[in-house]
């Protein structure tokens, strides 16, 4: 049966090949991706309001140990976790108090929170030593909507969420508070996760609860314009959610006050997804926001961290349980984790070299182009 598609349809007009199977488990290729993608893009490292002033946190990005600092004046900085004297680690704990100085415990070299070398302690430099040349190795830091990002590249690229930097401007993002957090290790390559995220062909068979909440998902599509017979004149549903539901909770009822500045279209949508490759996606609802962060920790293992963000007044409600709000999306994420790991195991077959995408998997095709472009920019070509 041939596919009849409107010229404005996002559906593919062919069935392209996927990335080669070996790129999902080969250690050498994984190392190249770390350098070409994870060390060059903006990587989400947490919420600003979860890093108290006067605190430094040890983090890892693309195999590099870093320290993320929030000083008592409210400034956020980031540096390689390396003393310029002889390379000792500066921060050994997950989090440590941060005063006016970052001091190495080995020989007491001390740095200002902007990275400048302040003291060599008991060492007595000679005339050939220029203190200004021995500050900490700085890493680019950016805040967007209360989220903190770092970039290891010498020159940081623009931060480019798929829906634009203004996509969440009607949500009070910077003032939201983390109410619930989960972490899970997925036994799959990071690209497998993003591929699952980018299609809904699996939804009818994998996500019964989600398909009940979002009826169009029962058709294996994420939006009306993905239907093979779609045209711009087709009527639009009043809401993406089932009748009576306004948000992603078990009941569909809001968990607290709804955000006051949302447009009628944003309320009717029930959810807005914003993606920042390769590091995270954000799902904004009328009453709360979920942020999901990925961090590859091996060719076939990925750490997934999910945070549910709420207004402070919602968290202050008597008897409020943020874990109960999180329970619905947690079911969906656990189902996705199961099939992503199943996908990863199957990719190890000696007979399977590449797959073929269906027309509805246009977003996976775009993601593959995104990966290829960044690898090719680093001189690495995927066959």
């Amino acid at each position: 049966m041939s596919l009849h598609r409107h010229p404005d349809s996002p559906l593919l007009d062919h069935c392209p090949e996927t990335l080669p199977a070996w790129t999902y488990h080969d250690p050498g290729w994984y190392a190249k991706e770390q350098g070409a993608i994870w060390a060059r893009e903006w990587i989400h490292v947490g919420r600003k309001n979860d890093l108290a002033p006067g605190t430094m946190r040890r983090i890892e990005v693309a195999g590099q140990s870093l320290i993320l600092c929030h000083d008592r004046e409210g400034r956020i900085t980031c540096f390689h976790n390396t003393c310029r004297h002889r390379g000792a680690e500066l921060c050994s704990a997950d989090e440590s108090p941060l005063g006016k100085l970052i001091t190495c415990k080995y020989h007491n070299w001390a740095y200002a929170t902007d990275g400048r070398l302040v003291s060599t302690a008991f060492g007595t430099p000679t005339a050939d030593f220029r203190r200004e040349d021995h500050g900490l190795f700085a890493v680019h830091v950016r805040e967007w909507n209360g989220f903190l990002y770092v970039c290891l590249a010498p020159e940081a690229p623009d931060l480019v969420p798929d829906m634009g930097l203004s996509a969440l401007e009607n949500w009070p993002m910077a003032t939201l508070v983390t109410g619930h957090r989960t972490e899970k290790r997925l036994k799959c390559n990071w690209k497998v996760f993003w591929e699952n995220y980018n299609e809904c062909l699996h939804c009818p068979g994998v996500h019964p609860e989600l398909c009940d909440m979002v009826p169009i998902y029962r058709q294996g599509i994420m939006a009306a314009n993905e239907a093979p017979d779609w045209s711009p004149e087709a009527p639009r549903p009043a809401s993406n959610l089932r009748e009576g539901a306004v948000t992603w909770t078990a009941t569909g009822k809001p968990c607290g006050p709804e955000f006051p500045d949302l447009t009628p279209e944003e309320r009717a949508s029930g959810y807005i997804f914003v993606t920042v490759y390769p590091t995270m996606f954000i799902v904004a609802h009328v009453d709360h926001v979920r942020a999901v962060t990925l961090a590859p920790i091996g060719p076939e293992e990925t750490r997934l961290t999910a945070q549910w963000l709420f207004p402070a007044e919602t968290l202050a409600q008597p008897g409020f349980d943020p874990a109960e709000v999180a329970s619905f999306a947690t079911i969906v994420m656990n189902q996705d984790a199961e099939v992503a790991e199943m996908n990863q195991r199957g990719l190890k077959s000696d007979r399977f070299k590449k797959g073929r995408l269906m027309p509805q998997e246009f977003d996976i095709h775009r993601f593959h182009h995104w990966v290829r472009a960044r690898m090719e920019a680093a001189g690495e070509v995927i066959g």
Side-chain angles (χ1 to χ4, degrees), residues 217-256:
Y217 287 2
R218 298 172 189 161
Q219 303 175 41
I221 57 178
M222 289 186 278
N225 65 342
E226 298 176 25
D229 58 353
W230 173 83
S231 71
E233 295 75 30
R236 296 182 179 182
S239 172
N240 288 332
L241 306 184
R242 69 175 186 236
E243 186 176 355
V246 298
T247 187
W248 281 21
T249 60
T251 64
K253 306 295 183 185
C255 64

Side-chain angles (χ1 to χ4, degrees), residues 11-87:
L11 299 180
L12 297 173
D13 61 2
H14 64 300
C15 291
E17 292 183 328
T18 65
L19 298 176
W22 60 266
T23 65
Y24 297 85
H25 53 75
D26 179 73
W29 186 256
Y30 169 80
K32 291 177 179 178
E33 287 181 340
Q34 288 282 286
I37 295 177
W38 291 88
R40 297 190 181 191
E41 300 292 326
W42 287 105
I43 305 302
H44 177 233
V45 292
R47 294 280 294 174
K48 182 178 180 179
N49 58 19
D50 289 334
L51 184 65
T55 303
M56 64 178 174
R57 176 182 296 166
R58 183 180 59 180
I59 59 175
E60 183 174 308
V61 173
Q64 295 295 300
S65 180
L66 311 174
I67 49 173
L68 184 66
C69 302
H70 189 179
D71 70 19
R72 298 185 188 281
E73 283 69 50
R75 293 171 297 195
I76 301 289
T77 51
C78 186
F79 308 99
H80 283 262
N81 190 11
T82 303
C83 179
R84 293 297 305 276
H85 177 207
R86 280 167 45 202

Side-chain angles (χ1 to χ4, degrees), residues 299-314:
E300 299 186 77
E301 193 168 9
T302 303
R303 182 172 63 250
L304 182 149
T305 304
Q307 293 175 283
W308 283 259
L309 312 175
F310 304 90
E313 61 183 314
T314 296

Side-chain angles (χ1 to χ4, degrees), residues 169-374:
E169 64 183 4
N170 293 332
W171 278 261
M173 293 298 302
T175 62
L176 297 182
V177 181
T178 304
H180 186 71
R181 184 179 185 274
T182 64
E183 185 175 300
K184 188 179 184 70
R185 287 198 172 202
L186 307 181
K187 294 181 180 179
C188 69
N189 183 270
W190 66 277
K191 299 188 297 298
V192 167
F193 176 90
W194 279 123
E195 291 171 359
N196 178 79
Y197 168 83
N198 275 315
E199 54 90 355
C200 210
L201 291 176
H202 73 280
C203 291
V206 174
H207 297 308
E209 297 85 0
L210 183 58
C211 288
D212 179 63
M213 178 65 73
V214 187
I216 201 168
Y217 287 2
R218 298 172 189 161
Q219 303 175 41
I221 57 178
M222 289 186 278
N225 65 342
E226 298 176 25
D229 58 353
W230 173 83
S231 71
E233 295 75 30
R236 296 182 179 182
S239 172
N240 288 332
L241 306 184
R242 69 175 186 236
E243 186 176 355
V246 298
T247 187
W248 281 21
T249 60
T251 64
K253 306 295 183 185
C255 64
E258 296 185 23
F259 299 119
D261 297 328
L262 304 185
T263 66
E265 293 76 16
E266 288 166 340
R267 295 187 189 282
S269 175
Y271 54 88
I272 291 180
F273 280 79
V274 180
T275 307
V276 185
Y277 284 145
T279 187
M280 74 181 307
F281 69 87
I282 303 158
V283 194
H285 301 284
V286 300
D287 58 336
H288 71 282
V289 173
R290 174 168 51 108
V292 178
T293 304
L294 296 185
I297 49 180
E300 299 186 77
E301 193 168 9
T302 303
R303 182 172 63 250
L304 182 149
T305 304
Q307 293 175 283
W308 283 259
L309 312 175
F310 304 90
E313 61 183 314
T314 296
L315 291 173
Q317 295 175 123
F320 179 74
D321 184 3
E324 184 177 344
V325 177
S327 63
F328 178 81
T330 299
I331 291 171
V332 177
M333 289 191 296
N334 287 339
Q335 292 164 340
D336 282 329
E338 181 179 356
V339 295
E341 292 178 345
M342 177 180 68
N343 194 170
Q344 182 70 33
R345 292 191 296 270
L347 286 166
K348 300 297 287 291
S349 168
D350 288 342
R351 297 293 302 276
F352 185 83
K353 305 303 181 184
K354 291 182 180 181
R356 296 291 294 274
L357 298 177
M358 291 292 100
Q360 294 84 355
E361 295 173 312
F362 54 90
D363 272 331
I364 296 180
H365 191 45
R366 292 170 183 166
F367 171 64
H368 288 172
H369 275 297
W370 185 92
V371 171
R372 286 180 182 275
R374 278 142 186 83

